[in-house]
Structure formats: C-alpha cells, structure tokens
Amino acid sequence: MHIKKIVVTGTEARDRLIKGANLICDSVKITLGPAGLNGLIEKGLRVSNDGISIAAEIQANDEIEDLGVRVVREASVKANEESGDASTTTLVLVQSILNEAIKFLPKQTSAGMVAGKKSPIQLVREINAEKDEVIEKLKAMATPVESKEKLIDVARVAVEFPELAETIGAMQWELGENGTIIAEESAEPTDKIEKIKGIRIDNGFGTSLTMNNQEKQSLEVEDCKIILANYTLHDLKPLPILSQLLQMGSKKVVIVARAWTEEAVKLCLENHKNGFFIYPINAPYVDQVEIMEDMAATLGGTFFNCEERQLEDMTLSDVGQADKVTAYRYNAVFTGEGKKIPERVIELKKKLEGEQSVFARKALDTRISQLENGFALLSIGATSERERKHKFDKAVDGCNAVKSALQEGTVAGGGLALKEISEGMPDISILKKALTAPYNQIQINAGEKLEIEPWVRDSVKSVRIALDKACSVAGQLATVSVAVAQEWERPHCCNKV
C-alpha cells in the first residue's frame, strides 16, 4: 500500500506548525493558576484542569498542524517526567517564546520574502544563552525549604484541597528530599496515607481466588515466607523447598514468579485445603530482574534468575521473609527490612553514576530512595469517581512539587520569579517579554488583579525544567523550513438518496 506524504516548505511550513503549537497551548493555558478553568475530556467524560491530561487529548485537524501539536506536547511531557510538574507552564512559555522568536525571522508577504533580523542559527544561540543566564539567576534566587510548614505551603500551591496538601507536605518532610509518595485512587470516601518500609511492584496476585479482603479487592498476608523467581511455573514440582518449609511449620508462603499456568494456580489453591497457604503473585512487569533483586535485598533470601539458577537448588537460606504482603490485581506492596539493603544501594548508586538517560536516572533515584527510606502510599478517596479523579490529578502534582522543592529549593510563585528576572533584562533580549507570560496568564485566568501572597512558592526545579524544554522546542519550531507528514485517510462523502 502506497503511503502518501504531505510536504510543505518555507515559511508556510513554519506557520502551519506554529498554528498547531498555538492550538495546544491555547487549550491548556486556561488551566494555569489558582483560578484556572477546567477542560472536559471525552474519555470518561472527565472534567480536569490538569494540563498534561488535557494536552494528551489535543489533535489538530490538519496533518502539518498536528505535527506542531505533537512536538509541543512532547516538550510538556518531558518536563512532567523530569520534574513531575510544570507541564502547563512549559506550554505557556513555548507559545510566548515562539511569538517573540518569529519576529526576528524572515517572513513571506504578498510582495515577496522579507529578510529577518537574525539568522536561524543566531536566534537559537541567543535563546539558549539567555536561557542559561535566567536559570543561573533562578538558582541564585532559590530559598531552601527549611520547615515542614514551608513544604506544606508548596503543596498548597499545587493542590486545591487544604487537608490533602497538609498530608502530602508533612509526609514528604518526613521522607526527605529523595523520598517517594505514591498516589493511587481508592474506593474509600476519604484520603489515607501510610508510610511503608518495604517495596512496591507493578504487578499483583496471580489469581483473584486468593483475595481475602473483598471490600478492598485485595490479598493480605502477614508474617509469611517469600520465594522470588522469574520462572514460569507450570506446577510446584520444581520447588521441593515447599515441603521443607511445611515441615518447619511455615504455613504461609508467597511465591513471586514470572507467570502462572492454570494448573500451577490450582495446585496452590488445593494446598489451602490442607492448611498450607501458598499465594501466587506475578513478578514485576518493568525492569523485572532488577526489581526482583531489590526485593531480595528488602525481604532477604535470594532471587532465582532462570538464566543463572535452578529452582531445585533452593535452600532455606534462599527464602525471604515479609512482615506483610498486600496484593491487588495490578500492584503489590511487600513490607520488610532486609540486611542486604545497604549493599544493594551501593550497587544502584554506581549504576546511577554512569547512567546518561534522564528517565533511567529518575527511576534509579526512586528505587534507591525506596530502599533507603521506604515510601508512602497515598490513597485518594472521594464520594464520586469524577471527584476522585480530579483529586488524584492534583495529588500527583502536589507529590511531585514537594519533592522538587526539597531538592532544589523554591522561588516566588505565580510566575513572579520569572517576571522579576525579566524586568532586569535588556529590552533587546528575546526572552524578556516571554518570561512574563506565566504571571500574565495567571492574571488573565483570574479575571481580576490577583495578589500573589508571599507564601506562594514554586520549586526551582519545575520552573527551570519548564524554561529549558520551552526554549528547546520553541527554537526548533521557529527555525523549521520544511515539514513532512503522512496524509490521513478521510472518509468519502456520499449523497443520501
């Protein structure tokens, strides 16, 4: 099948890409600030003012314009991945920087091409140089977060629910700058947070037939033995260690394995009838081998990698111990504190030193923190699903904001820090006007003069990353001279008889 391509060149390519960029930026920027408005998303009829959620649903009706949408959305997604916040601020800055940048570039008029004031290469260099200066000034303005109350203030900026903000800020203060709060939706009507010394994985029970808490739809087991292996278990014959555990009086065993056949699950359940409770749990989905090594460090015992060890060779010293296991369909929490944690942390920190990927470094940081400090589970409750999802979005923003604030400090919020830096820049600076955009947009959304109180603070990390991503994508789009997109298939129109 021949794939048709659309090719657009010159300033037309740039203009159509920027039109797409403006579409996504205009759609999201109305959510910025305490008076930000909501968007209604078709998927699940969801009302949200979470910028990243709205941006994910935006699509232009033109192939070339949609390229602009996608490039800008990627910048906001990367900002969110690196700082956990600032996706909306990134879009506001992208649009404002683009509007300033194109003033310096050539443009097509009815009389022909009008020369620009700067070459594309010169423009990008100046944007990057000014960005670096602004970031240095942001760092110089930073104030460390030195009390729990100040951290709660940071959460209040991101979360519109006061009690939830206090919960998040207080827990992050207890966990420290690398501590992790994991937010999840709950069927309960109220919020709940619990600090856990252990590990959480992204997979759950091997069969719903083992659930013993019907209200929470979960499996809960206390004081149990743990077997870790990335084998696919067809039956229990490769595990003679089970007989030894039973003889020793251990009657609760959780087995974490790559996969379970129907026959293997059946054998586990048959043992329940005899008072020997074997609980099948699915192994972690992402980074399976690495996470199971983390589990071994946390729970004791040995991880049996199918490429290195035979299950038949397992001895009692290879079996771990958990104070409690709580497993749901898609995740599970293991509580314990093994003696191998310090050794494992040293290994992970060595990997962190050589890792270049920002995403991988963030994942390693989270794992190291989970091993060293434990983590907190924040269950978001509400009386309706719509309210719960809205609170959940806010909770995620709040959790990321407080962690970033502890790591790099804070600056005046509500766009004031960038506005202050802008006022000290020369009039010829490309970023001078653009830096005032977040503050101005917050004022526009408020509909009246909004006094930003001193306690309102933004994390330096989120502002820094938003500016960096915005400058990068704005520089790219402003200097594009050709755009190529696959032509979409459109339904043929027909006349009704």
Side-chain angles (χ1 to χ4, degrees):
M1 179 181 176
H2 179 65
I3 298 175
K4 294 182 179 180
K5 297 282 188 177
I6 299 172
V7 181
V8 182
T9 60
T11 56
E12 181 188 353
R14 185 182 73 204
D15 292 346
R16 286 171 68 176
L17 288 169
I18 291 176
K19 186 176 180 181
N22 282 328
L23 173 64
I24 187 171
C25 294
D26 286 338
S27 301
V28 174
K29 69 184 183 183
I30 52 93
T31 68
L32 188 65
L37 301 176
N38 292 323
L40 177 59
I41 301 171
E42 180 183 22
K43 188 188 297 181
L45 287 178
R46 182 180 174 190
V47 176
S48 174
N49 64 356
D50 179 55
I52 198 72
S53 298
I54 296 172
E57 302 299 319
I58 303 297
Q59 179 179 346
N61 293 324
D62 172 89
E63 291 91 334
I64 301 297
E65 291 174 18
D66 196 54
L67 286 181
V69 170
R70 288 155 58 188
V71 168
V72 172
R73 177 166 53 229
E74 184 180 2
S76 71
V77 169
K78 286 183 176 178
N80 192 66
E81 286 177 350
E82 290 186 32
S83 74
D85 199 5
S87 56
T88 303
T89 300
T90 301
L91 295 177
V92 171
L93 286 169
V94 165
Q95 187 175 44
S96 60
I97 296 168
L98 267 175
N99 289 338
E100 293 303 307
I102 59 177
K103 295 176 182 178
F104 296 91
L105 293 171
K107 60 182 177 180
Q108 188 80 40
T109 68
S110 56
M113 182 68 72
V114 177
K117 300 175 184 177
K118 299 178 186 293
S119 71
I121 294 177
Q122 182 185 6
L123 182 73
V124 171
R125 283 177 179 168
E126 290 187 19
I127 288 175
N128 287 332
E130 290 181 16
K131 174 202 71 178
D132 291 342
E133 290 181 13
V134 172
I135 288 176
E136 287 305 311
K137 289 177 181 177
L138 279 171
K139 292 179 179 178
M141 296 165 66
T143 300
V145 179
E146 296 179 337
S147 71
K148 180 175 69 175
E149 289 69 29
K150 295 293 184 184
L151 196 60
I152 290 172
D153 283 344
V154 173
R156 287 170 62 194
V157 175
V159 182
E160 62 193 51
F161 303 92
E163 291 183 2
L164 181 57
E166 185 171 350
T167 297
I168 291 171
M171 180 54 74
Q172 189 68 55
W173 181 257
E174 184 177 341
L175 291 172
E177 67 177 54
N178 291 318
T180 300
I181 302 175
I182 301 171
E184 60 182 14
E185 295 182 39
S186 166
E188 301 294 325
T190 57
D191 305 327
K192 177 186 175 183
I193 195 163
E194 179 184 8
K195 184 178 177 181
I196 295 171
K197 197 67 178 176
I199 193 164
R200 184 180 191 264
I201 66 172
D202 60 354
N203 223 331
F205 47 64
T207 172
S208 59
L209 296 175
T210 58
M211 288 193 307
N212 52 19
N213 188 325
Q214 295 301 319
E215 185 179 352
K216 293 184 178 180
Q217 293 288 286
S218 65
L219 162 67
E220 298 178 9
V221 188
E222 294 184 356
D223 190 23
C224 56
K225 299 297 182 181
I226 301 290
I227 291 175
L228 303 171
N230 62 344
Y231 280 77
T232 295
L233 292 181
H234 299 275
D235 54 46
L236 301 179
K237 292 178 182 177
L239 288 167
I241 191 69
L242 291 173
S243 298
Q244 296 180 48
L245 289 171
L246 181 59
Q247 290 171 8
M248 289 180 56
S250 299
K251 295 188 177 182
K252 290 183 287 186
V253 181
V254 169
I255 304 176
V256 183
R258 182 195 297 274
W260 295 81
T261 64
E262 186 177 340
E263 178 62 23
V265 170
K266 183 179 177 182
L267 289 171
C268 290
L269 296 175
E270 285 180 355
N271 274 281
H272 287 208
K273 299 174 184 177
N274 301 320
F276 188 30
F277 298 94
I278 304 173
Y279 300 100
I281 289 184
N282 295 316
Y285 183 73
V286 178
D287 290 335
Q288 187 172 99
V289 170
E290 285 292 304
I291 300 299
M292 292 189 84
E293 291 287 7
D294 293 352
M295 294 177 73
T298 303
L299 304 170
T302 306
F303 162 53
F304 271 61
N305 189 331
C306 61
E307 297 180 359
E308 300 174 357
R309 301 171 185 270
Q310 298 294 319
L311 289 178
E312 291 83 356
D313 297 333
M314 188 177 294
T315 65
L316 291 173
S317 63
D318 295 317
V319 179
Q321 175 78 30
D323 297 330
K324 184 176 181 180
V325 176
T326 304
Y328 300 89
R329 187 172 299 277
Y330 299 114
N331 62 78
V333 174
F334 298 76
T335 304
E337 190 171 358
K339 296 179 180 179
K340 299 179 184 178
I341 288 178
E343 180 182 333
R344 181 61 175 164
V345 167
I346 291 172
E347 290 179 19
L348 295 181
K349 285 183 176 178
K350 287 181 180 177
K351 290 183 180 181
L352 185 63
E353 290 175 4
E355 182 57 61
Q356 300 298 316
S357 164
V358 172
F359 182 79
R361 287 183 64 85
K362 183 178 178 181
L364 277 168
D365 267 331
T366 299
R367 288 168 56 200
I368 290 169
S369 174
Q370 189 172 163
L371 288 169
E372 288 186 317
N373 309 312
F375 62 98
L377 272 181
L378 173 61
S379 301
I380 302 299
T383 54
S384 70
E385 184 177 356
R386 192 164 297 173
E387 181 190 358
R388 185 181 304 113
K389 289 186 178 297
H390 177 66
K391 282 180 68 178
F392 174 76
D393 287 341
K394 290 297 181 183
V396 171
D397 287 345
C399 292
N400 291 323
V402 292
K403 187 172 182 178
S404 294
L406 273 181
Q407 290 174 338
E408 295 188 19
T410 65
V411 290
L416 282 175
L418 291 179
K419 181 174 180 289
E420 181 181 332
I421 293 173
S422 167
E423 290 168 352
M425 296 176 76
D427 291 341
I428 60 171
S429 300
I430 300 169
L431 295 184
K432 181 177 178 67
K433 184 177 179 181
L435 293 180
T436 65
Y439 173 83
N440 292 336
Q441 190 61 49
I442 289 171
Q443 298 296 324
I444 291 169
N445 291 347
E448 58 184 359
K449 177 63 176 177
L450 180 66
E451 292 293 335
I452 298 174
E453 299 180 43
W455 65 265
V456 176
R457 308 287 292 179
D458 290 334
S459 77
V460 172
K461 185 176 182 179
S462 61
V463 179
R464 171 179 64 79
I465 289 173
L467 179 62
D468 181 62
K469 300 303 178 189
C471 286
S472 176
V473 74
Q476 291 170 9
L477 287 179
T479 57
V480 164
S481 188
V482 59
V484 183
Q486 182 176 325
E487 185 177 353
W488 295 339
E489 287 188 16
R490 290 178 169 82
H492 297 287
C493 295
C494 58
N495 296 322
K496 292 184 178 180
V497 179

